[in-house]
Amino acid sequence: MFAEVALDEEQQEEAARFGVHPALLDAALHSVKFGGLFPDDRARLPFAWRGVSLHAAGAGAVRVRLAPAGTDAVSALVADSAGQPVATIESLVMREVDPEQIGHVADSGRDDELFRVDWTAVPPTALDDVERSVDWAVIGADSVRLSGGEVYPDLAALGDAVAAGALLPGAVVVPVPAPEGHEVAEAARAGGRWALDVVQAWLADARFAAAGSRLVLVTSGAVAAGAGETVRDLAAAPVWGLLRSAQTENPGRFVLVDTDGVRASREALPGALAWAVGQDEPQLALRAGEVRVPTLARVSHGDGALTPPAGASAWRLEIENKGSFANLELLACPEVEQPPAAGQVRVQVRAAGMNFKDVVLALGVVEGRAVMGHEAAGVVVEVGEGVTDLAPGDRVMGLFSGAFGPVAVTDRRMLAPMPADWSFVQAASVPVVFLTAYYGLRHLAGLRSGESVLVHSAAGGVGMAAVQLARHWGADVFGTASEGKWDALRASGLDDARIASSRTLDFEDHFRAATDGRGMDVVLDALAGDFVDASLRLLPRGGRFLEMGKTDQRDPAEVAESHPGVVYQAFDLAEAGLDRTQEMLVDLLELFEQGALTPLPITTWDVRRAPEAFRHLSQARHIGKVVLTVPAPLAGTGTGTVLVTGATGTLGGLVARHLVVEHGVRELLLVSRRGVAAEGAEA
């Protein structure tokens, strides 16, 4: 089949910018349907290329010769009008395509052609069946704490050892170093350059390839490998992008591993590496000792996401049939669209913190209507009479009732301005846990410097806040958590003598021994049953016992009789009152500004994925806080400018018009390679 193809006048001017102009090449390949090169008229699309060479650049018109090149394949010779070669393609495999699959999926109402990446757990039996182990060496600082392998300062040193007769191990593990003192963007660039140097050095040494050894790069928190996870290390995330490309170009040479840093994952790493090498698995994530791999899963509308009520601009997460998280739903609440009353503020919510109280309400453990969502951060929309220090557009954080939705109303005294460098998610994670810890330890317990305090569930939200505050006030802090979370307690400044399990009663003897029998002065409790009794026995000299939980409250008089000198008090943050809450908010934000306190680790879900978040929180699988993000409208107070890239093309123009007409956006920044000189940009 012979064809002659030419660009139109406008495209002729662009031809010099390309090796082969994409429109020219596309049109040339479309010639296959005219020449009878295939036995039928079925639609075909390019699938696999082999032997592609470019001989000249900038052609505006070409002559093409297409010929059969095996089953479902053609070869192509592309020449300019003078007959000089422009490009050759030894083989292009063309695959048949169902015409119904061509075009946008939404046009046919089908969604089973769309896929997403899910991280799937590898069955423990598969890991147990690994027959051979893999030997390894570690390059750089051994932050992953692998034992049994040699440690080398860099790949050059490993190469020198191999040259001197050392055997090259099956896996060469390189922990990605943590950035020091850099802004995130700068650290990401530095990490990318570092990874590129490592990859190029590995590929440049032929001995590594000949031995079949794999380079294993280990990160921590660089990928989101499960529901509710976020990327914690933004600087290391680009390393995954770079290495995925390198894996495509060099199959079998690289392995990517991301860990959560807990002890169970460190212990699982050797077996996971052996399995990955044996199965030729290029990517792994270790979470609490569980090995996960990326797989493709079909996207469907019935995948569990909640849907806001049609036509309602104000809605919130509620549960009318309590007892199961499956009954959570988004219901209209037009009352929050009413003008705020005197002293109140209406806020456009961007993120809302979750607390165990929300779980208890949803499960129906307590009586009454479940109005969930007690803290949030967002943008002021409207203020009531008497509110003079806040205005529409201000970013605020604080306490609410019913904050799991796009709009919520609260008293001005429950709010404070957000720190300028905080995200909405960070701000939404702070109010309830830090206010609860502050109120309990400072106002109720009167915690003083030098006293000993036991914080139960110290890796949870209130627990981590309480540890920070108590240490800031000079107290000697002890904490319990499940063993998989002990690293989080160590990171908060507690040594092993001050850490114990929240799953067994061993903490009683452990902490009694650690304090030479003195025990505690204050206990901040969130446990129940025998754990309460054991904690009370850790107050042998008397003291203050603060109960945050609602499932096992004791009678203060009975406690005082059986444990002389112990003052038992169950409390709730709401008892602090509006004025004291405002005072505590101001004090806390000053401590954050001084650097005495820092926001907690955060796990996020979109509010439309609330059932997943509730299950996660109810199982106490989190560290720190769980936050629900609320989709922000494109238009409205505080929207600012919307940036559109590639904006002078056809698609960019349609997007820009859609933003204005459908979403009410009034500030656009249009960016393209051709700039305002492009035809149609002014329109």
Side-chain angles (χ1 to χ4, degrees), residues 21-42:
H21 193 289
L24 195 70
L25 181 60
D26 183 58
L29 295 177
H30 270 80
S31 303
V32 297
K33 70 178 185 177
F34 297 117
L37 297 176
F38 296 105
D40 53 51
D41 293 330
R42 295 291 300 273

Side-chain angles (χ1 to χ4, degrees), residues 293-340:
V293 295
T295 58
L296 286 179
R298 291 187 182 275
V299 174
S300 67
H301 294 304
D303 60 357
L306 303 179
T307 304
S313 59
W315 45 265
R316 66 185 173 210
L317 183 71
E318 295 195 33
I319 183 166
E320 295 185 338
N321 299 316
K322 292 181 283 187
S324 171
F325 301 138
N327 296 331
L328 289 164
E329 54 186 335
L330 304 179
L331 300 177
C333 54
E335 62 271 17
V336 299
E337 295 186 290
Q338 300 299 318

Side-chain angles (χ1 to χ4, degrees), residues 337-340 344-348 379-384 391-393 637:
E337 295 186 290
Q338 300 299 318
Q344 290 188 331
V345 180
R346 188 153 60 96
V347 175
Q348 184 185 86
V379 178
V380 173
V381 176
E382 188 177 3
V383 299
T637 302

Side-chain angles (χ1 to χ4, degrees), residues 648 670 675-683:
T648 59
L670 307 181
V676 296
E679 182 180 351
E682 295 82 357

Side-chain angles (χ1 to χ4, degrees), residues 391-427:
D394 289 346
R395 294 167 15 121
V396 294
M397 55 187 281
L399 301 181
F400 293 81
S401 177
F404 293 155
V407 183
V409 178
T410 192
D411 190 281
R412 165 63 187 90
R413 289 166 290 183
M414 307 286 266
L415 295 175
M418 276 176 54
D421 58 343
W422 281 13
S423 68
F424 288 113
V425 168
Q426 284 179 309

